[in-house]
Amino acid sequence: MIRERHLFGPGPSNPYPEATSALSQPLLGHLDPEFIRIMDETSDMLRTVWGTENSRTLPLSATGSAGMEAAFVNTVHPGDVVVVAVNGLFGQRMCDVAARCGAEVIAVEHDFGRTVDVDRVLSAHPNPAIIAAVHAETSTGVRSDIAALGAGKDDALLITDAVTSIGGIELHADAWGIDVGYAGTQKCLGVAPGLAPFTINQRAFDRRVAKPQSWYLDLNLLGGYVGEAAGKGGQRTYHHTAPVAMVVSLHAGLTRILDEGLDAVNARHAEAGHLLQDGLQEMGLDLFAEEGWRLPELTTVLVPDGVDAAAVRAELLNRFDIEIGAGVGPWATKVWRIGLMGHNARPDAALLVLAALKDVLGR
Ligand SMILES: *Cc1c(COP(=O)(O)O)cnc(C)c1O
């Protein structure tokens, strides 16, 4: 039995209690009318957190990375120009995925820790088929201006990674011009890892790849899985067995979020994050992410000179049961990443991390 830990890493976060207890309920059958109702309601609630009217909004049965795969595999035709804003690990991964789909990828590189330079991305190519960007870069703790990309995209489709923004900071898929979006359950949505909330609008669907090389993520086939043609509560065609427990858990997590109110949930993330970031600076530590674009839900802080980053993380884990994340790539030993997402986005959680870090660092 593993002790209960405080998971303040970049993900998974500690789930909302409602989402955890849903996982221990007796299983429904995947074609049980009660489960179909839960699936319909889950898609409805996902539309609310995405800020979209898209009928094609569903939880894909795999983690956030599968959402990324689904976005590209269904929209990239061989030879398409895909402009990707790269300001961290997940932007890099988008380039890899798009290239595997046969795209001509134009990577617009940024220093890690900087927000996406919208003008540079929009002028990278005169007529790209797709522009792709990460809303909240979990590898660096930076937010980017998706609305500005949407406003300037012209005829291109806009693919947005909202894995670490959904349910934590403002996100308005339709108003911002997001054509295809994917997310994950284990970050701010406060549910265990395992599903990828996905949304695609009619404009993108009309340009879809007729026969994507992925059978599992082919949106043409997934329509029947969520009863798209049959309508609410209607007949489903078997595609794969729905991960029933995960969908029921997501339903519980989303219900919790909407009961609390999306604005209130975002405000809670903002309050906790700012408390943590102010406290770290008061301790004399420097934040890594560009000022003005810092994510409240994922704080990146520079490891002070002469401090062993891994030893501090180990001591937090062993003495306080607190897990924080290491930096990514060249920043692995130079940055810590501290998540306050979902159920952890609370002032008491922020103060707990601060107190423990203060003790370990002797500040
Ligand atoms: C976590 C994350 C992913 C990948 O999600 P998995 O659930 O780990 O597959 C993609 N993009 C961003 C921004 C993430 O934070």
Side-chain angles (χ1 to χ4, degrees):
M1 184 78 175
I2 296 179
R3 273 191 298 177
E4 192 193 329
R5 300 217 194 256
H6 307 284
L7 301 175
F8 294 125
S13 193
N14 292 84
Y16 287 119
E18 295 86 344
T20 311
S21 54
L23 283 174
S24 62
Q25 295 301 304
L27 280 183
L28 290 163
H30 74 120
L31 296 176
D32 188 308
E34 173 64 3
F35 176 68
I36 288 171
R37 181 186 67 79
I38 287 172
M39 181 65 112
D40 285 342
E41 284 182 10
T42 301
S43 296
D44 278 345
M45 290 190 282
L46 284 177
R47 276 184 271 278
T48 304
V49 291
W50 271 112
T52 186
E53 303 280 323
N54 293 340
S55 63
R56 294 180 185 85
T57 302
L58 73 160
L60 295 175
S61 308
T63 70
S65 301
M68 187 188 290
E69 293 265 3
F72 288 99
V73 92
N74 282 284
T75 56
V76 175
H77 302 260
D80 276 356
V81 171
V82 177
V83 171
V84 182
V86 178
N87 64 339
L89 171 78
F90 293 104
Q92 290 175 338
R93 190 179 288 183
M94 280 177 155
C95 295
D96 190 352
V97 172
R100 287 167 191 243
C101 297
E104 184 194 314
V105 176
I106 300 177
V108 183
E109 303 275 356
H110 300 70
D111 287 340
F112 278 27
R114 309 293 294 182
T115 190
V116 164
D117 181 337
V118 171
D119 291 339
R120 212 147 58 76
V121 172
L122 293 178
S123 58
H125 188 276
N127 188 25
I130 293 170
I131 296 171
V134 178
H135 184 205
E137 243 306 346
T138 325
S139 64
T140 62
V142 169
R143 179 174 62 86
S144 287
D145 190 348
I146 299 300
L149 287 174
K153 71 182 177 179
D154 282 337
D155 190 50
L157 295 177
L158 177 61
I159 293 180
T160 299
D161 178 322
V163 176
T164 292
S165 56
I166 196 166
I169 59 175
E170 270 194 59
L171 173 65
H172 305 285
D174 289 355
W176 291 355
I178 296 173
D179 296 289
V180 185
Y182 60 88
T185 42
Q186 77 274 29
K187 311 276 168 78
C188 301
L189 287 180
V191 177
L195 295 175
F198 185 88
T199 191
I200 180 169
N201 65 15
Q202 192 61 41
R203 181 169 176 265
F205 193 71
D206 288 344
R207 297 193 203 175
R208 72 191 178 280
V209 174
K211 195 160 187 180
Q213 46 90 354
S214 168
W215 176 88
Y216 191 65
L217 298 172
D218 181 347
L219 292 175
N220 297 298
L221 305 178
L222 284 166
Y225 168 72
V226 286
E228 200 173 276
K232 280 216 169 134
Q235 196 63 42
R236 303 302 207 266
T237 51
Y238 170 71
H239 176 266
H240 65 276
T241 308
V244 171
M246 278 307 305
V247 175
V248 170
S249 182
L250 175 60
H251 182 275
L254 290 167
T255 302
R256 147 76 198 240
I257 288 171
L258 297 183
D259 280 354
E260 188 179 339
L262 206 44
D263 290 343
V265 169
N266 289 342
R268 180 161 54 71
H269 281 80
E271 187 198 358
H274 293 142
L275 197 57
L276 175 65
Q277 289 168 10
D278 290 349
L280 291 168
Q281 289 175 298
E282 278 161 25
M283 279 166 65
L285 299 175
D286 294 318
L287 302 179
F288 176 65
E290 181 176 351
E291 202 176 349
W293 298 98
R294 290 174 185 150
L295 296 172
E297 68 272 36
L298 196 282
T299 295
T300 44
V301 54
L302 286 165
V303 176
D305 282 343
V307 169
D308 181 338
V312 169
R313 291 177 57 234
E315 193 176 342
L316 286 173
L317 194 61
N318 295 331
R319 282 182 58 219
F320 298 100
D321 281 323
I322 288 177
E323 188 198 313
I324 66 168
V328 163
W331 299 96
T333 60
K334 300 189 179 109
V335 163
W336 290 306
R337 293 183 301 148
I338 307 173
L340 292 177
M341 304 182 194
H343 190 54
N344 282 343
R346 302 191 314 267
D348 58 315
L351 295 178
L352 179 66
V353 187
L354 281 171
L357 197 56
K358 210 169 196 162
D359 187 80
V360 172
L361 292 175
R363 289 185 181 229

